[in-house]
Amino acid sequence: QVQLVESGGGLVQAGGSMRLSCVASGMYYALNTLGWYRQAPGKQRELVAAITHGGTSKSADSVKDRFTISRDNAKNTVYLQMNSLKPEDTAMYYCNADELYELTRPGPNWGQGTQVTVSS
């Protein structure tokens, strides 16, 4: 199994920026796809962005002009750069990993989550 540990969350003012990090460790063959999902209270968990080992990425329409996903394969780390943050971005952000190529549906491996709160 793979362990995923997120970091970088916290409180930020609307219009500000924040970068989330997720480090993968443990026993696995390959992490073809890494992604970020978020869930706000009373809302469905939704895809924020996902990226393959080769760098192909997909982002939700609500964040594609403001957020950028990237990964450092040598460090087994995926990042989410968030700019121009809005109060509606407030949610628990979860890291996800899949050994398969899949940019739409999440894989079976989840991190514990990191809270992002955007104040108005």
Side-chain angles (χ1 to χ4, degrees):
Q1 297 100 312
V2 59
Q3 288 79 51
L4 303 171
V5 180
E6 304 97 330
S7 63
L11 177 64
V12 65
Q13 188 178 3
S17 299
M18 182 176 290
R19 189 174 80 153
L20 305 182
S21 300
C22 173
V23 180
S25 63
M27 192 70 68
Y28 56 87
Y29 176 70
L31 297 177
N32 201 314
T33 306
L34 293 170
W36 291 95
Y37 290 73
R38 68 185 182 186
Q39 187 168 25
K43 301 290 186 179
Q44 190 82 17
R45 186 172 298 187
E46 64 177 356
L47 170 71
V48 178
I51 186 169
T52 68
H53 188 276
T56 302
S57 64
K58 175 182 175 63
S59 300
D61 290 340
S62 60
V63 307
K64 66 185 303 180
D65 295 328
R66 300 180 294 120
F67 294 5
T68 302
I69 189 170
S70 62
R71 62 188 289 173
D72 186 335
N73 293 326
K75 296 182 178 180
N76 298 317
T77 302
V78 61
Y79 306 95
L80 184 67
Q81 179 66 47
M82 304 184 291
N83 299 322
S84 301
L85 283 162
K86 305 174 180 179
E88 49 262 45
D89 295 318
T90 295
M92 184 72 74
Y93 284 70
Y94 297 92
C95 183
N96 179 264
D98 199 341
E99 293 185 287
L100 304 177
Y101 179 92
E102 179 57 72
L103 291 173
T104 302
R105 297 172 58 86
N109 306 293
W110 294 94
Q112 80 289 341
T114 183
Q115 178 68 39
V116 174
T117 302
V118 184
S119 62
S120 60

